[in-house]
Amino acid sequence: IIDSIQYHCKGERDELLPAASYSLVQQVKNRGVYSFCMCPGGFIVPAATSPGEVVVNGMSPSKRNNLFANSGIVVEINVEEDIPKYEKFGVLKGLEYQKDLERLAFTSGGRSQTAPAQRLTDFVEGILSSDLNPTSYQPGLKSAPLHSLLPRSIGSRLRTGFAEFGKKMKGYYTSEANIVGVESRTSSPVNIPRNEQLEHPEIKGLFPCGEGGGYAGGIVSAAMDGERCAEAAVAGL
Ligand SMILES: Cc1cc2nc3c(=O)[nH]c(=O)nc-3n(C[C@H](O)[C@H](O)[C@H](O)COP(=O)(O)OP(=O)(O)OC[C@H]3O[C@@H](n4cnc5c(N)ncnc54)[C@H](O)[C@@H]3O)c2cc1C
């Protein structure tokens, strides 16, 4: 489907062309909704780190020759406006919100690594899917009413976002796509402070870095930040 939309071809793309990718972005009610790490010819994989949670992520092998395309679809979150009831958790409020979303995916996905899913068009139209499309996600999918389960600040923006994506990329809005929940680790929910020497302002010798510290998102930016922190640590010796 993605190949035929992007290359305007019918059926299989020319063998000299790589699997097609896309990048979509839409503003919905003052928040960005956008595609993230689109993986042509890839897999959706389990990425949980603790029991009782379901987290999914996407990847492509180098040949990008799997049948399925996948992409994270991100909704920007404004901590003050979107999650006021998490205020009691202080600086860890984003982390607690993330955990709740991952627990929600675990319970609605069937209390195993099976992930909750819905046909794209059913999600947007607010209908529980009677069956799902085939998937690259090995633990399997369970049909769930994600349109009503996700917090409104995320779910309603996603639904509008998908409908708009369908207008920008004709054929994208299709019942042949599944949405799978939740890709909740796109960026760190905390930011550990550091000074100009990249050292924590209160804990000597601690250099918060990379994605977990809130200073990177992705392989290259995390690697470069780690390198800078290593140099700063050596300079401070
Ligand atoms: C399936 C998948 C696909 C991805 N695909 C891409 C992609 O295509 N492109 C891209 O740019 N990014 C991708 N990412 C994101 C990328 O992997 C991360 O952004 C990047 O690895 C972050 O690097 P980091 O060094 O900050 O953290 P990490 O790589 O997570 O390293 C943190 C390390 O700390 C260790 N650790 C944690 N707690 C402790 C502790 N208490 N004591 C000691 N050690 C500890 C962990 O074991 C780990 O080795 C993908 C991620 C996943 C899961």
Side-chain angles (χ1 to χ4, degrees):
I1 294 172
I2 302 299
D3 281 347
S4 63
I5 299 170
Q6 300 294 65
Y7 293 135
H8 304 281
C9 62
K10 285 207 164 54
E12 302 232 329
R13 67 179 184 273
D14 188 286
E15 60 182 27
L16 295 175
L17 291 169
S21 63
Y22 60 84
S23 175
L24 290 163
V25 59
Q26 179 68 38
Q27 277 288 316
V28 184
K29 288 183 237 142
N30 295 328
R31 301 282 181 281
V33 178
Y34 56 93
S35 60
F36 173 82
C37 281
M38 190 270 154
C39 298
F43 302 90
I44 300 175
V45 297
T49 45
S50 302
E53 64 188 26
V54 161
V55 182
V56 292
N57 209 313
M59 56 160 284
S60 299
S62 58
K63 288 192 179 145
R64 300 188 152 183
N65 58 356
N66 188 33
L67 261 182
F68 299 94
N70 69 71
S71 175
I73 305 294
V74 178
V75 178
E76 183 191 341
I77 289 169
N78 178 313
V79 179
E80 280 75 36
E81 289 177 23
D82 298 342
I83 54 168
K85 74 174 195 199
Y86 287 78
E87 209 50 54
K88 59 179 184 254
F89 295 109
V91 292
L92 297 182
K93 56 193 160 202
L95 196 67
E96 292 303 322
Y97 185 54
Q98 185 185 53
K99 281 190 198 161
D100 276 353
L101 292 173
E102 294 168 0
R103 278 193 284 257
L104 173 85
F106 179 77
T107 45
S108 59
R111 303 192 153 269
S112 66
Q113 282 307 300
T114 315
Q118 202 165 3
R119 284 181 187 255
L120 174 62
T121 42
D122 289 343
F123 174 67
V124 173
E125 286 157 33
I127 305 164
L128 178 68
S129 298
S130 52
D131 57 3
L132 295 165
N133 295 296
T135 181
S136 61
Y137 183 71
Q138 289 281 317
L141 304 178
K142 180 173 182 289
S143 172
L146 286 164
H147 62 275
S148 62
L149 290 173
L150 287 172
R152 272 185 68 79
S153 58
I154 295 179
S156 76
R157 285 189 174 90
L158 272 180
R159 292 166 75 186
T160 308
F162 278 126
E164 293 300 319
F165 290 168
K167 292 179 195 159
K168 294 180 184 193
M169 213 176 131
K170 295 271 177 285
Y172 183 85
Y173 182 64
T174 168
S175 65
E176 288 186 61
N178 292 324
I179 64 145
V180 181
V182 290
E183 181 161 342
S184 47
R185 308 265 175 106
T186 50
S187 59
S188 176
V190 290
N191 187 258
I192 306 175
R194 68 186 188 191
N195 59 24
E196 277 185 10
Q197 287 71 45
L198 311 186
E199 194 172 22
H200 191 282
E202 288 163 23
I203 307 169
K204 196 136 185 58
L206 178 68
F207 293 82
C209 72
E211 194 161 298
Y215 293 98
I219 296 165
V220 175
S221 62
M224 290 176 71
D225 189 60
E227 204 173 4
R228 286 176 63 221
C229 285
E231 283 164 3
V234 169
L237 286 178

